[in-house]
Amino acid sequence: MGNILKRSNQQGPKFRTVVPNHMVEEEIKSKAHPNYGYRSNRIKTTKYSIFTFIPKNLFEQFHRFANLYFIFVVGLNWVPEIQAFGKEIAMIPVIFVLAVTAIKDGFEDFRRYRSDKKINGQNCRVYSREDRRYVKHHWCDIYPGDLIHLSCNEIIPADILLLKSSDPNGICHLETSNLDGENNLKQRQTVSGFEFSHDFEISKFQHKLDVELPNSEIYKFRGYVEKESKEKISLSTENLLLRGCILKNTDFIEGIVVYAGHETKAMLNNRGPRYKRSKLERKINQDVIWCVILLLFLCFFCAIGSGIWLSNFNGLTDNTNYVPFIPFGDLDKFSPVYQGFIVFWTYIIIFQTVIPLPMYVSLELVKIAQVYFINNDKDVYHEPSNKRLECRALNITEDLGQIEYIFSDKTGTLTENLMEFKTCTIGGVDYPHMPGDEESDFGSRMSIASMSRSSSIYENLPLEPALQRELSNMCLRSLDSVELTIPEHVKRVQEFFLLMAVCNTVVVSHHPHQDEMDESGFLSQPEFLKQAAQSREEGLDRYNRLPEAATPPNRFSKARGASLASLNSESDYPFTSSDGSIAGSSSQISDSSQRTRYEAESPDELALVKAASTYGCRLLQRSPERVTVYLPGDGEVEFEVLHILNFDSVRKRMSVIIKHPETGEITLYVKGADSSVLSVLDRKFRMNDMEEKAVRVKTEEHITDYAMKGLRTLCMAKRTLSQEVYKNWLKMHQEAESSLEDREIKIRDSACRIEEELDLLGATGIEDRLQDGVPETIAKLREAGINIWVLTGDKQETAIEIAYASRLFHRKQELVTLNSNTKEEAKDLIVHHIEQINLNRPSPSRDGLPAKEEYALIIDGKTLAFALHDSASKKAFLNLTKKCNSVVCCRATPIQKGHVVKLVKEELKKLTLAIGDGANDVSMIQTADIGIGISGQEGMQAVMSSDFAIARFKYLERLLLVHGHWCYNRLCKFGAFMFYKSLMSVMLLFWFQFFSGFSGSLMLDSIYMMLLHLIFTSLPPIVNGIFDKDVTAEVLLEKPELYSVGQKGEMYTNWTFLMVLLDAIYQSAVLYFIAHLAYTEENAGIWEYGTTIMTALILIILLDLVIETNSWIWIQWLILIMTFLFFWVFAVVSNAIFFTWDHPSNPYWVMENTISTPIHSCVVIISCVVALLPRLCIRAIQATVWPSAIMKVKQLEKELTDCDQQTTITTETTISEVVDRSPDSDRNGGNPQLNNLSVDYRERVRQRHRTPSDQTVDSVRPVQT
């Protein structure tokens, strides 16, 4: 029945049976079907349906404290003795907020529905028992037990057990980037024990499957198939194709569905987005608590005041007419205590707006709009990949403006992750391939930066002449270990390149993969087969050797004849060439001889295969048992592959065991990290009197040299195995592979046993080029006061050079290196460096001030593990990092990356950001306050786990310095303004209570009170929260130090709420008492009095927003004016109609009478001026006497604009006069600070403020500054 009830697998059976559906008779009813109860392939990620939307959404919204509070207030208003507003009026705010939130939730759910519909509507071919062939079905109509046919590049619709493949060896390849983020190819094998030939009809498969219950472990799968002979054939992950993967390098496959829909491993791993709360939101929530305290204080104060006021009436119980607001009734209820209790709850209703209910809804609307404009910013759009910035978290945009620590991966994040073979060392001899290696000083710290910019123009690898000579006669005889006529170094060179060609998992094909079956299930012959057949009939010979290869004529003739059957010419297939591809994207390594399609697991492997192919040692074909290589001396040669030991993160190496086709000699070829290979070399490489020791020393020197150039290094080695040694190892290895417990550990231990006593061949240096703009971006981020840490798995020397190239390190910094082998040594090192830094007193600089010493920390993975071991070590490590400007962690594991981020986040209480591009970065991305994924070469796992996704690292500069600053500034002002207008309206009502006997009476119409924050003053702050800019983007990028405003939290501090409260108290007092004094001698009713106050209140709120606005666009003016006009028209129209919300009062014709009197206009104008004048004065004094950094920059920009406008040239102006009045001379004399602004920045300012008078007149141009 599957895991329907979500129970633990420990309860009940752990396996379930899947029966092929074509074996089940059609007459069997659904409940009697053997696969009944298993989920179909239809997915549903929506939360609501048409019928459940309203009740379910309301239930979710009532989980929020604010909504429950206002529902409680609405309920209080229905109690007759407590009622303060009309019952219907009091419900308007809650209904409005619930409705807006429901609309937003409904829209988001509708987007999920459309996505589900698109996925469920995709097509695939399912075997039909009636038609006896494959027919087209929607994904949602697939069920466990169905037989599926898929072609190359199709997405796997469900978890399928592989039964048949177009490959004669029964293998296929998958790209799993949609599932685990790894953008490499995974090989899968058909179920062993069955003879699935190419002509086998899968409909004849009639075996039941016993598979484990659905679970989320994507790397584990258990099950078995029972044959007619009762033999059980085990199933593993090697036989399972997971939903969401893409079929690659295979014409077609066929299989049976074992899990579908929400029972697939991909769906079980889809936990949805995490909710994060921003730092600013947490501060606002704290201030809401102060609002609650203020509400209780006001209610208690007024309740006590009501009791005191009532106690002043003598004989109250004898005559209740003394108090007009107490109705006739039971005299026992008219005690001051009882009336104070009742009026307390009345004031809860009256002062309810002190908690700004609309703020949360408005805040979400502002953030959604901000995210929209961030996503559509053309300056963070990457045109080559057609990818734009993607915001996956809607509620933390303001945190982008407060980041203090950035944790970055290196490979694929700072670099391209597009590897290029640059150099190699073989037998201790260096073979440089980089241009100008002999002349240039590669010891320069910045050499890698120039290489990154220039190497992209080299389309072909510059060949090394010595290697060409030594590889020109490469043949099987030279690869024989007992051959004595060939020099040892030449044999080592040839084996080195053979290792590069065969020790990998690169997939090779010679034609585009096409299926013989069309989308409807009918068979047809692929076009490329027709072309290939025609080409073979014509007997065309288009095979030519590389121009660089010095192959003897007789050798070449032999090779040409041998290769005709497998190699195809350029005209055979209509596809273009490229340099290669990773993870399944079709590519060709092309030269004048052939077109071969390589699909590599990683960029490193592709670079090595390309390099070997360029020298003539070409990988031509690969299967699980065979690998075909073209050798310059022999042509095509086929080696038998005995075993492949895949790479793992513990061994940090991979191996292949092959058999010599002529001598039968068994050879183990190993490649991996230098530390993992050099540690398992033969003893002769460690003996002082041996020649091999010199080879090892020279190789290590070259590896260090490569690393100091910023190159990634791989070490190559081999071992010749005797038949006896191999057979003994194979027996133990097969036992490890068949083990049911600790299988992975036993296989790894078995691989380690054979990977020992190795002979060193050499090492390679591969360049991973820096992305464009990385050094400039890091420099700007550091100027902004952001601490940048690089967490990488690369070796220390490589990471250091990349740090220098990317400007993370600079020459003036002193390097602090932490390398240790024990916990005690690590602790002592940390303490020692802290003491040394403390002893190094700052030396005086040129200006007489002490110059601050700068330090950069480098720590390796082993020492980092010791530093994170206990609380004392963590504290010491953090103390050291705080004294360093930059930190690089080398050889760091994914778990260590997450622990480092967590340490800084929790111990230092700083806002952190993690950025990476691969699955190994997911841990730190999810741990940080903000996670950013780069959609690069390593799949989408980092993107799927992130809050924001960008295409290049350089876009981080604009995302933080511009959008982060804007979002933080806007939302700070928005939050403060929402508190201000709520407190303003509440304090007005509070002042009136002193003159109404604390009776709970109101001078404002209740409809105005309910609509004040919902409509009359709601849109202008929302529009400002979206469009207001305190500083332009050009200024923020030019002056990154302005970012510190957000880091220090200057825009919204712990005192912000208090200042807003004091401002609201003052302005409300001014407004109320001016109106009170003005209307004291006037013959006007309470509603005319209240209408005047309401009009002035709305004007003061809107004008206060005008004062706080930094920039204006037309939509801001339009919304501001339309808002006030709407209130005015609404008041006139509603008062012209005879109706009432608060019986027995009636506001009929109140607005018309009020605006017709002069006192109304006088009160409104005087109140606005007196209320807002202090704010205007404070802002003017602050800008003049104590200007902030932003104010200073805005003033400089204004001066620059005014200065440029004074250089307008007319036809009467001479060039000499212009030179005399050049902007530079004015600028130097007027404000020297303007000289700090760059020429590019000045030009951008001019373009922004360009007027028609600035344009060229009579072909005379302004003098350039």
Side-chain angles (χ1 to χ4, degrees):
M1 296 296 293
N3 199 14
I4 304 300
L5 300 178
K6 306 295 183 183
R7 294 177 179 173
S8 172
N9 289 348
Q10 296 179 357
Q11 300 178 0
K14 296 184 179 180
F15 288 83
R16 73 180 191 184
T17 301
V18 177
V19 178
N21 289 331
H22 65 277
M23 293 174 52
V24 182
E25 299 294 335
E26 297 181 2
E27 294 77 12
I28 297 180
K29 297 181 179 180
S30 59
K31 291 187 177 181
H33 197 286
N35 296 333
Y36 174 75
Y38 303 159
R39 299 289 293 270
S40 72
N41 205 45
R42 179 183 297 274
I43 64 168
K44 180 178 179 293
T45 60
T46 57
K47 296 193 295 184
Y48 314 110
S49 67
I50 297 178
F51 303 103
T52 64
F53 174 71
I54 294 179
K56 194 171 182 179
N57 186 262
L58 288 177
F59 178 77
E60 291 178 351
Q61 292 198 56
F62 289 157
H63 278 73
R64 299 175 183 173
F65 171 77
N67 291 344
L68 286 177
Y69 162 74
F70 282 97
I71 290 293
F72 170 71
V73 171
V74 170
L76 281 179
N77 200 63
W78 282 75
V79 179
E81 293 183 350
I82 301 177
Q83 179 181 351
F85 302 131
K87 298 181 179 64
E88 299 82 3
I89 293 294
M91 297 174 61
I92 290 178
V94 177
I95 293 176
F96 178 82
V97 170
L98 295 179
V100 171
T101 305
I103 292 172
K104 180 184 71 69
D105 294 342
F107 176 73
E108 292 178 353
D109 204 58
F110 179 71
R111 291 176 60 188
R112 288 189 289 266
Y113 165 77
R114 291 173 58 186
S115 176
D116 293 346
K117 185 178 180 181
K118 181 179 179 181
I119 295 174
N120 290 328
Q122 295 186 81
N123 296 321
C124 70
R125 284 155 289 187
V126 181
Y127 183 78
S128 172
R129 181 175 179 177
E130 296 179 356
D131 300 330
R132 295 186 177 181
R133 66 177 181 87
Y134 288 94
V135 296
K136 186 186 298 185
H137 276 258
H138 291 309
W139 277 24
C140 59
D141 297 326
I142 298 175
Y143 294 87
D146 284 342
L147 300 179
I148 305 294
H149 181 104
L150 298 172
S151 302
C152 185
N153 295 323
E154 272 196 84
I155 301 176
I156 311 297
D159 290 353
I160 298 173
L161 188 70
L162 181 61
L163 299 178
K164 182 180 178 180
S165 172
S166 60
D167 187 272
N169 299 291
I171 63 173
C172 72
H173 295 86
L174 302 177
E175 180 185 322
T176 61
S177 60
N178 291 335
L179 185 63
D180 60 8
E182 296 182 10
N183 201 22
N184 53 15
L185 297 183
K186 305 291 195 311
Q187 182 173 294
R188 294 294 181 263
Q189 180 76 42
T190 56
V191 179
S192 60
F194 291 92
E195 295 298 330
F196 295 129
S197 63
H198 186 72
D199 299 328
F200 172 76
E201 294 185 10
I202 196 172
S203 60
K204 296 180 180 179
F205 181 82
Q206 297 183 350
H207 303 278
K208 296 181 181 180
L209 309 176
D210 287 306
V211 297
E212 61 184 353
L213 294 178
N215 58 74
S216 60
E217 297 181 355
I218 61 176
Y219 298 112
K220 292 184 180 180
F221 172 69
R222 294 181 300 163
Y224 61 88
V225 183
E226 188 172 340
K227 300 177 69 173
E228 294 84 351
S229 60
K230 303 300 180 181
E231 178 188 357
K232 292 184 178 181
I233 300 176
S234 62
L235 307 175
S236 67
T237 53
E238 297 298 318
N239 314 123
L240 189 66
L241 312 183
L242 299 181
R243 176 191 175 105
C245 299
I246 302 174
L247 184 65
K248 291 291 184 179
N249 201 51
T250 311
D251 294 341
F252 70 88
I253 62 98
E254 293 177 352
I256 183 172
V257 177
V258 291
Y259 306 120
H262 288 277
E263 292 182 341
T264 59
K265 294 182 181 293
M267 294 301 297
L268 291 174
N269 276 276
N270 186 9
R271 300 188 180 100
R274 297 179 302 141
Y275 179 80
K276 290 185 176 181
R277 183 176 296 171
S278 68
K279 186 177 180 180
L280 177 61
E281 185 178 350
R282 291 194 293 269
K283 281 190 175 182
I284 290 177
N285 289 339
Q286 293 175 0
D287 290 338
V288 170
I289 296 176
W290 286 111
C291 288
V292 175
I293 296 174
L294 178 62
L295 172 66
L296 295 176
F297 169 78
L298 294 177
C299 293
F300 275 113
F301 184 90
C302 291
I304 294 172
S306 176
I308 295 174
W309 191 80
L310 287 175
S311 65
N312 292 329
F313 286 85
N314 296 323
L316 178 63
T317 57
D318 297 332
N319 188 359
T320 60
N321 291 329
Y322 290 163
V323 187
F325 57 81
I326 296 182
F328 296 102
D330 190 355
L331 298 180
D332 296 335
K333 297 181 180 179
F334 300 149
S335 68
V337 176
Y338 176 79
Q339 191 62 27
F341 174 78
I342 293 298
V343 84
F344 172 83
W345 298 106
T346 302
Y347 281 117
I348 289 288
I349 301 173
I350 293 175
F351 297 148
Q352 61 177 297
T353 54
V354 73
I355 300 177
L357 172 65
M359 180 177 67
Y360 290 99
V361 178
S362 302
L363 202 61
E364 290 188 6
L365 295 177
V366 169
K367 290 183 178 182
I368 290 174
Q370 288 178 348
V371 166
Y372 172 79
F373 286 106
I374 292 176
N375 289 346
N376 289 276
D377 186 356
K378 64 180 182 180
D379 291 325
V380 290
Y381 168 71
H382 190 237
E383 187 174 359
S385 62
N386 192 28
K387 292 178 180 178
R388 63 179 71 248
L389 188 147
E390 178 186 358
C391 180
R392 301 168 57 83
L394 303 180
N395 54 333
I396 55 173
T397 54
E398 62 270 33
D399 276 351
L400 292 171
Q402 299 178 276
I403 298 299
E404 296 184 67
Y405 279 83
I406 291 179
F407 300 89
S408 174
D409 179 39
K410 184 186 75 69
T411 304
T413 303
L414 301 179
T415 61
E416 295 280 5
N417 201 18
L418 295 175
M419 311 302 178
E420 186 174 347
F421 182 86
K422 283 297 180 182
T423 187
C424 65
T425 174
I426 307 174
V429 179
D430 187 20
Y431 294 95
H433 289 68
M434 291 179 287
D437 239 10
E438 292 81 359
E439 295 84 3
S440 61
D441 177 18
F442 280 99
S444 172
R445 300 289 193 188
M446 300 301 294
S447 62
I448 185 66
S450 60
M451 286 158 43
S452 298
R453 292 190 293 267
S454 64
S455 59
S456 59
I457 66 174
Y458 292 97
E459 298 180 356
N460 298 317
L461 180 70
L463 301 183
E464 215 286 333
L467 287 180
Q468 286 184 271
R469 291 191 301 270
E470 292 159 355
L471 291 170
S472 60
N473 294 317
M474 182 178 179
C475 59
L476 287 176
R477 186 172 64 89
S478 62
L479 296 174
D480 188 356
S481 62
V482 298
E483 176 62 46
L484 302 178
T485 60
I486 299 176
E488 185 66 26
H489 183 72
V490 174
K491 293 171 62 177
R492 185 173 286 168
V493 169
Q494 295 181 1
E495 286 200 281
F496 182 88
F497 277 85
L498 178 64
L499 185 153
M500 290 170 57
V502 302
C503 188
N504 51 64
T505 55
V506 172
V507 179
V508 189
S509 61
H510 300 284
H511 60 76
H513 298 289
Q514 296 186 21
D515 194 356
E516 299 178 7
M517 184 182 295
D518 61 18
E519 293 183 356
S520 300
F522 295 100
L523 297 178
S524 62
Q525 186 177 10
E527 187 65 27
F528 77 87
L529 291 179
K530 298 178 183 178
Q531 295 180 4
Q534 182 180 1
S535 176
R536 285 193 297 270
E537 291 175 1
E538 294 175 357
L540 296 178
D541 181 6
R542 300 183 179 90
Y543 187 80
N544 298 309
R545 63 185 176 88
L546 276 174
E548 296 86 351
T551 308
N554 60 336
R555 294 279 190 187
F556 180 76
S557 301
K558 178 180 178 181
R560 185 174 73 176
S563 60
L564 280 175
S566 62
L567 299 180
N568 296 276
S569 68
E570 178 178 349
S571 61
D572 283 342
Y573 310 115
F575 49 76
T576 60
S577 65
S578 66
D579 288 337
S581 96
I582 307 163
S585 57
S586 298
S587 64
Q588 303 84 34
I589 306 301
S590 62
D591 50 50
S592 59
S593 63
Q594 66 174 8
R595 293 291 184 89
T596 301
R597 301 167 64 91
Y598 287 159
E599 297 173 88
E601 284 193 358
S602 68
D604 302 75
E605 289 192 341
L606 183 62
L608 295 179
V609 173
K610 283 179 61 176
S613 178
T614 306
Y615 277 101
C617 184
R618 302 184 191 91
L619 176 64
L620 299 180
Q621 195 67 40
R622 178 185 295 281
S623 69
E625 294 84 17
R626 297 284 189 273
V627 57
T628 304
V629 183
Y630 173 78
L631 303 180
D634 279 342
E636 286 190 24
V637 176
E638 185 177 77
F639 293 90
E640 181 181 356
V641 178
L642 301 179
H643 228 93
I644 294 179
L645 304 176
N646 292 318
F647 176 89
D648 64 65
S649 58
V650 177
R651 291 165 41 242
K652 295 183 180 180
R653 54 182 179 260
M654 79 158 292
S655 305
V656 60
I657 303 176
I658 63 174
K659 187 176 182 180
H660 196 284
E662 292 183 354
T663 65
E665 184 179 65
I666 299 175
T667 306
L668 169 74
Y669 288 113
V670 182
K671 71 173 182 181
D674 54 293
S675 59
S676 63
V677 173
L678 295 176
S679 61
V680 292
L681 293 179
D682 191 81
R683 288 170 50 188
K684 60 186 177 182
F685 287 91
R686 295 189 293 270
M687 298 177 64
N688 294 328
D689 56 346
M690 298 295 291
E691 181 183 351
E692 286 78 4
K693 175 64 179 297
V695 171
R696 172 177 177 165
V697 171
K698 292 295 294 182
T699 303
E700 289 178 340
E701 290 177 358
H702 294 152
I703 290 175
T704 303
D705 184 44
Y706 299 162
M708 294 187 68
K709 296 173 185 175
L711 303 180
R712 294 165 59 91
T713 57
L714 284 175
C715 212
M716 314 294 185
K718 59 163 284 190
R719 179 186 179 186
T720 303
L721 304 174
S722 64
Q723 292 287 344
E724 182 180 359
V725 170
Y726 174 71
K727 288 181 180 179
N728 293 335
W729 172 84
L730 181 61
K731 181 179 179 181
M732 292 186 294
H733 191 74
Q734 289 174 341
E735 292 177 356
E737 290 181 324
S738 59
S739 176
L740 298 178
E741 296 182 359
D742 301 328
R743 181 171 178 269
E744 292 79 6
I745 298 177
K746 293 179 180 180
I747 291 177
R748 184 172 66 240
D749 294 339
S750 176
C752 291
R753 279 194 294 269
I754 196 69
E755 293 171 339
E756 58 184 15
E757 300 179 3
L758 303 180
D759 291 334
L760 180 62
L761 294 178
T764 59
I766 301 174
E767 180 191 24
D768 186 8
R769 294 175 292 175
L770 278 177
Q771 293 182 13
D772 294 336
V774 167
E776 295 79 8
T777 300
I778 290 181
K780 284 294 180 68
L781 293 177
R782 293 191 61 196
E783 288 180 36
I786 300 176
N787 297 281
I788 302 178
W789 293 24
V790 173
L791 312 179
T792 178
D794 278 349
K795 65 181 304 179
Q796 186 166 301
E797 293 81 2
T798 303
I800 291 175
E801 290 306 313
I802 291 294
Y804 277 111
S806 62
R807 298 187 189 175
L808 183 63
F809 292 174
H810 58 81
R811 295 182 180 180
K812 294 182 180 179
Q813 284 181 317
E814 182 178 341
L815 298 186
V816 177
T817 305
L818 295 180
N819 295 328
S820 62
N821 296 315
T822 63
K823 289 187 292 185
E824 292 74 16
E825 183 181 356
K827 186 176 181 179
D828 293 340
L829 268 176
I830 294 174
V831 173
H832 168 74
H833 285 299
I834 292 176
E835 293 175 350
Q836 288 297 318
I837 293 175
N838 292 334
L839 290 175
N840 291 339
R841 297 181 178 178
S843 57
S845 59
R846 294 181 179 179
D847 55 6
L849 297 176
K852 183 179 179 181
E853 294 287 340
E854 294 189 3
Y855 299 90
L857 176 64
I858 306 99
I859 182 172
D860 63 357
K862 183 183 295 186
T863 310
L864 182 61
F866 297 146
L868 301 176
H869 182 262
D870 52 48
S871 58
S873 300
K874 291 178 182 178
K875 185 176 180 180
F877 175 64
L878 280 179
N879 289 335
L880 179 59
T881 60
K882 286 190 292 185
K883 299 178 182 297
C884 299
N885 303 89
S886 307
V887 178
V888 173
C889 300
C890 314
R891 301 294 194 190
T893 64
I895 295 178
Q896 285 180 329
K897 292 181 179 182
H899 288 168
V900 169
V901 176
K902 183 179 180 180
L903 178 66
V904 174
K905 176 183 175 182
E906 295 182 352
E907 297 297 329
L908 298 183
K909 306 298 181 183
K910 302 295 185 181
L911 214 59
T912 58
L913 180 148
I915 180 171
D917 72 317
N920 60 330
D921 304 317
V922 170
S923 176
M924 69 174 183
I925 287 176
Q926 292 183 338
T927 303
D929 294 289
I930 292 182
I932 295 184
I934 292 185
S935 49
Q937 299 292 327
E938 295 191 18
M940 299 297 291
Q941 185 69 15
V943 170
M944 291 186 292
S945 304
S946 66
D947 303 307
F948 298 87
I950 57 178
R952 310 288 282 182
F953 183 84
K954 65 180 180 180
Y955 297 144
L956 188 62
E957 175 186 0
R958 185 174 181 87
L959 179 62
L960 297 185
L961 302 187
V962 178
H963 291 294
H965 177 86
W966 281 346
C967 291
Y968 171 71
N969 177 74
R970 292 164 176 168
L971 291 175
C972 285
K973 290 188 174 182
F974 178 84
F977 184 79
M978 295 298 286
F979 281 121
Y980 156 76
K981 67 190 188 77
S982 296
L983 294 172
M984 183 80 171
S985 61
V986 167
M987 294 309 298
L988 272 175
L989 301 178
F990 176 72
W991 299 129
F992 181 71
Q993 300 310 306
F994 286 92
F995 302 94
S996 62
F998 296 98
S999 60
S1001 301
L1002 301 175
M1003 76 292 196
L1004 304 176
D1005 194 343
S1006 59
I1007 187 67
Y1008 293 158
M1009 290 299 303
M1010 294 298 102
L1011 297 182
L1012 174 64
H1013 302 296
L1014 294 181
I1015 297 178
F1016 297 152
T1017 60
S1018 61
L1019 286 181
I1022 291 177
V1023 174
N1024 261 31
I1026 299 172
F1027 295 107
D1028 189 30
K1029 299 178 182 178
D1030 59 340
V1031 185
T1032 61
E1034 289 81 1
V1035 174
L1036 292 172
L1037 294 175
E1038 182 74 19
K1039 297 289 185 180
E1041 59 269 17
L1042 297 178
Y1043 188 79
S1044 62
V1045 172
Q1047 293 174 323
K1048 299 175 183 177
E1050 296 178 358
M1051 297 299 299
Y1052 197 100
T1053 66
N1054 296 329
W1055 299 98
T1056 298
F1057 181 78
L1058 178 60
M1059 301 305 298
V1060 167
L1061 176 60
L1062 295 176
D1063 195 19
I1065 291 174
Y1066 166 77
Q1067 292 189 20
S1068 63
V1070 167
L1071 172 57
Y1072 177 80
F1073 287 104
I1074 288 178
H1076 182 83
L1077 294 175
Y1079 275 90
T1080 299
E1081 303 298 331
E1082 290 291 324
N1083 185 19
I1086 190 173
W1087 296 124
E1088 287 84 353
Y1089 170 65
T1091 300
T1092 298
I1093 291 180
M1094 177 57 67
T1095 304
L1097 172 64
I1098 293 177
L1099 265 179
I1100 290 174
I1101 290 176
L1102 296 180
L1103 291 175
D1104 186 274
L1105 182 66
V1106 171
I1107 295 174
E1108 296 301 319
T1109 301
N1110 294 290
S1111 62
W1112 290 93
I1113 59 176
W1114 65 268
I1115 192 172
Q1116 290 171 279
W1117 286 113
L1118 177 65
I1119 295 297
L1120 189 73
I1121 296 172
M1122 293 300 295
T1123 296
F1124 181 74
L1125 290 179
F1126 177 80
F1127 158 74
W1128 200 84
V1129 172
F1130 176 85
V1132 171
V1133 173
S1134 63
N1135 286 179
I1137 304 173
F1138 187 85
F1139 74 95
T1140 180
W1141 297 101
D1142 296 320
H1143 185 76
S1145 63
N1146 178 28
Y1148 180 69
W1149 217 250
V1150 170
M1151 187 65 176
E1152 287 76 1
N1153 290 333
T1154 303
I1155 62 177
S1156 64
T1157 60
I1159 192 65
H1160 168 78
S1161 300
C1162 292
V1163 169
V1164 170
I1165 294 174
I1166 295 174
S1167 299
C1168 290
V1169 172
V1170 176
L1172 296 176
L1173 187 60
R1175 179 178 288 268
L1176 280 171
C1177 294
I1178 291 174
R1179 287 288 180 258
I1181 294 173
Q1182 182 183 5
T1184 306
V1185 182
W1186 302 291
S1188 64
I1190 292 179
M1191 291 179 179
K1192 293 178 181 178
V1193 172
K1194 289 173 64 177
Q1195 181 63 26
L1196 288 178
E1197 185 181 21
K1198 183 178 182 302
E1199 291 184 19
L1200 176 60
T1201 304
D1202 295 341
C1203 201
D1204 286 333
Q1205 290 177 351
Q1206 294 175 4
T1207 63
T1208 305
I1209 299 177
T1210 61
T1211 53
E1212 293 80 14
T1213 305
T1214 63
I1215 299 299
S1216 59
E1217 291 174 336
V1218 174
V1219 173
D1220 293 337
R1221 298 199 318 270
S1222 66
D1224 284 336
S1225 61
D1226 293 340
R1227 196 173 293 117
N1228 292 336
N1231 191 341
Q1233 297 183 53
L1234 293 176
N1235 293 323
N1236 295 330
L1237 301 178
S1238 68
V1239 176
D1240 293 338
Y1241 165 65
R1242 293 171 182 169
E1243 184 59 30
R1244 288 195 296 267
V1245 173
R1246 294 191 189 98
Q1247 293 296 332
R1248 251 194 349 268
H1249 299 280
R1250 187 74 70 186
T1251 61
S1253 61
D1254 293 322
Q1255 305 303 321
T1256 303
V1257 181
D1258 293 342
S1259 300
V1260 180
R1261 295 181 298 173
V1263 173
Q1264 299 297 319
T1265 59

